[in-house]
Amino acid sequence: MSELFDAVDALIASRSPLPPPAERRRLRQAHALTLDEVASALDVRRATIGAWESGRSEPRPPQRDAYARLLTQLARLYPVDTAAPAAPQPDSPAPEAVPSAGASVKAAPQSAGAKATRTPAPAPVPSPVAVPEPDDAPRPVPAAQPRQSSRRAGAPQAAARSHDAGPEHGHGPLLVLDADAERQVTGYGVGGLILDVPAKSLPALVEWTLAEAQLGAEKLHGSGRDADPLLVLTSSACERYGLPAQLPESARLAGRLPEDHKVLGQLERAAWQLTKRGFGPWARIYRPAQGGRRSCVQLCIPSWRALDDRAWGHAAQLGPAELARVLGVYAQRVVTPVGTTAVTGLHLMTALNPPTRASEPDADGRRHREHRPGSLGTQPVDPAPCEATDGHPVLAHLPRFHVRGPDEKLFEEAYDWARDLTDAECMQGHLVGLDVNLAFGAAANGAVVGLSSPPEHVTDPVFDPAVPGSWLVDLSHVDLSRVKVGKQWRALDGSLLPSPFTPSGQRPTGPAWYATPTVAYAVELGYDVAPVEGWVRRESGRFLDGWYKRLRDAYVATMADLGVPERLSLAEFLQAMDGYKSRDPELGIVVDAVKMTVKGGIGKLQEKARGGGWKPGQAWPALARPTWRPDIRATVISRARVNMHRKMLALAAATGRYPVAVLSDCAVYAADGPSPLDVLPYGADGKTVPGSFRLGVSPGMVKHEGTQSVLWGADVLERLGADGHVANLARYIKTGEVTAQDTGE
């Protein structure tokens, strides 16, 4: 009978009444909920909520009933004001708008069937609570009327917006500014938007941006803050506003304009300020907070090397419209850039998991900022001595030039391991590289890390895999020739596998410091552990989950745009990956930038001292950040290395195939054929060894990194090998190129 009742309940839930799409959006915004928060609560993707609010799709059970319940409760809190005019539907025609005197929209030829105006989104309902960040400053209210926009025929189109854009942010997160021969400045935005920029000086440009340009992006968390407008200045725009097209050599070494530059004087006279990093490739111009509202603009200057080619490829050489598309897609899917991809990756962590929130009203009805549970808080936390980088103040007591060994220093790094080919492998024809997609992102997902409390020192502790921390323990007794794979003991050739406990893959020789995931893996392999001491963090949480999901969605969505969606068959996936970046080189740049945001963001958690004047034992600026957390970086890298080893172990146990080389997230195997399918044992049902490598586009799955011949590998090993050193073939497997620098010539 209970099964019949369940079936009836499911049938009723499938028809749960829902308000119109525009009302769904109004209710969410009235309660200051972001798309990410609703998506997380309903266990769906962010884009799914956006589709429900735009009317492109309707929710299905079991989410439909929960979504209806949410909207019903919000409707009770925020009833419709019948006296107010109805908000326009997202697909309704835009009203005629007259551009204000301060800005105009440039007309452009239209392709057949293209709309000449962008549909304005309904104005967002103000959040019931607005608690300023410490550096918040006032932002002038933009013109009330949304301006018309035009699309240039043939201009590349950015992806559909992934954030809500009311009148304040109606023109998207950024503009790329370019000046013509007549010194007229044009702004290129997302979706082919083109604006005339009337400002004649840099201070006037900042004023216009905040008062008229309607730039910015909605906050990613209800307790966060909106993204500041980003202006990208081409070389011609730099010259138009009195800036050098290229930084002089002296300024390039300093990373900023000299303090006596005339433009800095203009900003100072207009009461604008710069952050401590000065006016460099990424400059932030602001005024102090007044009334709890920000007044801040971010500048990016590609000709000053703001867009590192290791992350952004050839983006700096793109035309303004194309560059606007690249940066716009990244801003919409990840976050508006605020610096290098590493800096932006770190910024994204805080944007998704703010350190503070609004308190409940006090006796006077006022709200205050308070610590937000699950965040890293607002104050930096000193690391444990074993977690500190060399020169950190907590190590000031050590003798000068002291070199810490593994029993004094936590050394959780990515793999760099290689071995010689066996005789059997030399008889095979090919070396095939497998690369794990977004390996560090996948490792961050679900990682339990310490939060805002300092580490606690313990002696002779009982190891607890649920407690994040660092442990001094001897793992030299773990023998890879006999380990548990799953629940079964298996005999393997341990000499052909790297150790999971060291980046070099060499077996440890005694006690050493390890992060929790590494020690937990020793237990998983079937061995007892007995830590001597530890630094543990009792307050913990999955701080990086939202960060991973945001970057994961950006990566997967962009790969789908490049013709590599999820859930392809093996043959379809390999075919789709063949030359995928050439289908849309601009989106190929976005994919690389997303990947570098993951790697750089994790690396930035342990930013080292830079610049002259620093001495060991002294603090450096990065230590003042709550996000300077080498322990979190160690946890993620430990999980990534363990994940890699677990896959290699499962493959070896099932097939007797062992890696020849491993470099970070790339493993090289000898095979009889050139395809990954010649390495991975897929069955007729399309399934492979559980727990091993799987081909696919999702993070944690693998793609083909490259194939070279065994003869090529033998030649590289001979050319680069010296004094017992074995060259890492994974470093060269993609292109097969070995430079003169590699050979030492």
Side-chain angles (χ1 to χ4, degrees), residues 371-372 374-381 450-454 539-540 629:
H371 172 71
R372 197 178 144 273
S375 74
L376 299 185
T378 59
Q379 299 300 316
V381 176
L451 296 177
S452 59
S453 298
E539 183 199 6
S540 61
R629 293 295 298 271

Side-chain angles (χ1 to χ4, degrees), residues 282 306-316 326-327 330 339-344 581 585-600:
W282 291 91
L307 301 177
D308 185 349
D309 56 11
R310 291 172 297 180
W312 293 101
H314 64 285
V326 168
L327 294 177
Y330 179 91
T340 64
T341 49
V343 170
T344 302
K581 289 184 182 179
E586 293 164 15
L587 289 183
I589 294 174
V590 176
V591 166
D592 289 340
V594 171
K595 292 191 288 187
M596 290 301 292
T597 302
V598 173
K599 289 185 177 181

Side-chain angles (χ1 to χ4, degrees), residues 32 126-133 136 219 222-224 291-293 357-358 367-369:
S127 303
V129 178
V131 180
E133 293 293 330
D136 278 358
K219 57 191 175 185
S223 297
R293 293 183 65 84
R357 68 181 181 185
R367 298 179 185 265
H368 308 275
R369 284 195 305 125

Side-chain angles (χ1 to χ4, degrees), residues 267-565:
L267 291 171
E268 184 177 1
R269 287 190 294 274
W272 290 106
Q273 299 182 22
L274 296 167
T275 59
K276 291 182 179 180
R277 64 184 178 185
F279 202 119
W282 291 91
R284 188 175 289 276
I285 303 173
Y286 72 98
R287 281 180 179 147
Q290 294 179 8
R293 293 183 65 84
R294 292 177 62 79
S295 182
C296 185
V297 173
Q298 175 85 46
L299 298 186
C300 167
I301 307 179
S303 60
W304 292 10
R305 301 182 181 178
L307 301 177
D308 185 349
D309 56 11
R310 291 172 297 180
W312 293 101
H314 64 285
Q317 284 73 52
L318 293 174
E322 291 76 17
L323 181 57
R325 182 194 182 213
V326 168
L327 294 177
V329 171
Y330 179 91
Q332 292 169 331
R333 292 181 175 176
V334 181
V335 72
T336 304
V338 295
T340 64
T341 49
V343 170
T344 302
L346 198 68
H347 165 76
L348 180 62
M349 294 180 192
T350 303
L352 291 167
N353 206 329
T356 60
R357 68 181 181 185
S359 68
E360 293 297 323
D362 59 16
D364 298 326
R366 296 182 178 180
R367 298 179 185 265
H368 308 275
R369 284 195 305 125
E370 64 179 12
H371 172 71
R372 197 178 144 273
S375 74
L376 299 185
T378 59
Q379 299 300 316
V381 176
D382 278 341
C386 63
E387 298 164 350
T389 55
D390 293 336
H392 192 282
V394 302
L395 304 175
H397 64 283
L398 293 178
R400 192 177 183 186
F401 304 120
H402 175 74
V403 178
R404 293 183 293 162
D407 59 337
E408 298 177 280
K409 179 180 179 180
L410 179 69
F411 196 63
E412 294 285 10
E413 300 293 342
Y415 266 130
D416 187 351
W417 169 86
R419 62 172 175 82
D420 284 321
L421 298 170
T422 66
D423 292 343
E425 289 166 342
C426 288
M427 299 301 294
Q428 296 181 293
H430 301 85
L431 295 170
V432 181
L434 304 174
D435 182 73
V436 180
N437 304 319
L438 239 58
F440 294 109
N445 185 35
V448 178
V449 300
L451 296 177
S452 59
S453 298
E456 172 191 343
H457 184 251
V458 292
T459 56
D460 295 323
V462 176
F463 175 68
D464 186 348
V467 176
S470 301
W471 311 81
L472 180 62
V473 59
D474 189 350
L475 300 181
S476 60
H477 63 292
V478 178
D479 184 3
L480 295 181
S481 298
R482 186 174 181 273
V483 294
K484 272 189 177 180
V485 181
K487 296 182 179 180
Q488 295 183 340
W489 286 94
R490 301 297 298 267
L492 303 172
D493 190 340
S495 65
L496 300 181
L497 282 168
S499 168
F501 310 127
T502 63
S504 66
Q506 301 302 312
R507 187 170 180 172
T509 57
W513 285 99
Y514 302 101
T516 295
T518 302
V519 185
Y521 188 54
V523 176
E524 179 183 327
L525 294 177
Y527 290 84
D528 295 330
V529 296
V532 178
E533 60 178 303
W535 289 90
V536 297
R537 289 172 166 82
R538 305 296 183 184
E539 183 199 6
S540 61
R542 294 168 58 157
F543 171 73
L544 294 173
D545 276 10
W547 183 79
Y548 160 75
K549 291 175 182 176
R550 178 82 175 176
L551 289 162
R552 184 257 181 216
D553 289 349
Y555 176 78
V556 171
T558 309
M559 289 297 291
D561 289 342
L562 286 166
V564 193

